[in-house]
Amino acid sequence: MILAIDQGTTSTRAIAFEVSPSGSFSAVAVSQIELAQHFPRSGWVEHDAAEIWRATLQTCREVVRKAGGVDRFAAVGITNQRETSVIWDAATGEPLHRAIVWQDRRTSDVTTRLAAEGHEARVQAATGLILDPYFSASKYAWLLDAVPGARERAAKGEVKLGTIDAWLIWKLTGGQSHVTDATNASRTSLMDLATLQWREELCDLFNVPMKALPEIRGCADHLGDCDASLFGRALPIHGAAGDQQAALVGHGALRAGDAKITYGTGAFLVANVGHQPVASTSRLLRTLGYAADGQVAYALEGSIFSAGSAIQWLRDGLKVISDSRQSEAMAQTLKDNGGVYLVPGFTGLGAPWWQPEARGTVIGLTRDSGPAHFVRAALESLAYQTRDLLDALKTDGAPPLTRLKVDGGVTANAFAMQFIADICEVEVERPAFQEMTAMGAARLAAFGVGLTGELWTAPLEAPAVWRPRMGEAERARLLKGWRGAVKAAIIAAGGDEP
Ligand code: ADP
């Protein structure tokens, strides 16, 4: 068995995967704990890294117990929310500040200034990433400045920085390993995409000392051994990848032209472009797909900042639903959107717009508009945002997609899946087993530890498929409405007309 840890934005999960001799994976035990999110100011989002570690340990222990004990496990695989930045004390292993979550915009002044000074082309050429507060580098620098004495102590190796994978590996190994995998490292703005190593010049630009950063390893490398006191045996950690890249592996999107999109809190399209990076002219990110067994696959990625979080807002902010599942039936009480569009720019707009200052915008309200219109508009926004990303992929010359592989909490919503197929003019395929992120981590670890000879083999159960059935005229009319809404959101935030 493989113990997979899936540390997400809203929860921490551990899953035990049984691996059959033929290489098929089945989840035999799961444990999950919700994670508190903190919003201390507008645009700020934080997690408590100590809470993340406690939940990881608790869920892992529960799963090991449920699955029959630690001796049944061969290795641990980790996947995690990317970019979220942790600072901790090397001696005590305690966080020195709350973790800054990927959605957090507090460092937008830094990345705006660097862009104004003309650094974007250089950063983009080296890392594939644009200048945006989303990535870890400006978050690391902020943490080093916010914690008294941290800069001096980091220079002496007493303070460590890392994304969630590095934080968990540090805790799991009892402080023995300060390592990260190349996919997580590729999201910091500090790693050179060609060499898969930190680049001094970028560390200087962002004012992050390389000494505080973890060592970069491949996704299926040996990353350390768990402290024997945690589970009763020193289980090796043999796989790690950021959540979106892990999902790419989980779906088996291993060839150029394969693409997947994960609809969780945010939504992330990752399209495999093969062994050489492809430059984007439409502001998609040039990034790493995975690096395992000497093979490197590059990808183009488009991030939607608010997907499932728009449904959370309907539930917790607007209070028009009490459970996210209600959104499907409520949207279907309407025959159409009634001209109402919601642009869920709660934490800015991601690709291809990249407008950190944009905020949520609703247009088209009439006296007939009610709660169901907000619900439907939120679900429809998933499809429109996906369409914008697929159009950008086309512009960049990526091979046209015939099928979109989907996973994540939102894919439970059949209304949204059909609407995505209709608006994007693509077949939407949802695998029978939904935890593609955890599955990817498990496959990497199983491959890394030698339990399987191949990174991926097709699952036994058939996927669910939604096919486009909307007429061309209706699609064009809806997309026109959406584009008007995006324009309104950007202009309302003081941006230039797109
Ligand atoms: P993450 O890994 O980012 O924590 P998950 O993949 O667990 O996210 O998905 C959780 C998200 O899915 C939440 O934002 C929630 O609002 C949304 N969600 C869950 N069920 C549904 C549903 N039936 N319809 C729409 N959204 C849903």
Side-chain angles (χ1 to χ4, degrees), residues 387-410:
R387 171 77 196 216
D388 289 345
L389 293 181
L390 297 186
D391 285 349
L393 263 185
K394 252 184 225 164
T395 308
D396 284 346
L401 305 178
T402 47
R403 271 199 179 193
L404 190 60
K405 297 184 171 212
V406 300
D407 65 294
V410 181

Side-chain angles (χ1 to χ4, degrees), residues 8-11 13 263-265 308-309 311-312 324-325 327 379 408-410 412-413:
T9 311
T10 56
S11 76
R13 269 182 285 233
Y263 295 101
T265 308
S309 61
I311 316 305
Q312 285 171 26
S324 43
R325 276 170 298 195
S327 61
L379 290 175
V410 181
N413 194 307

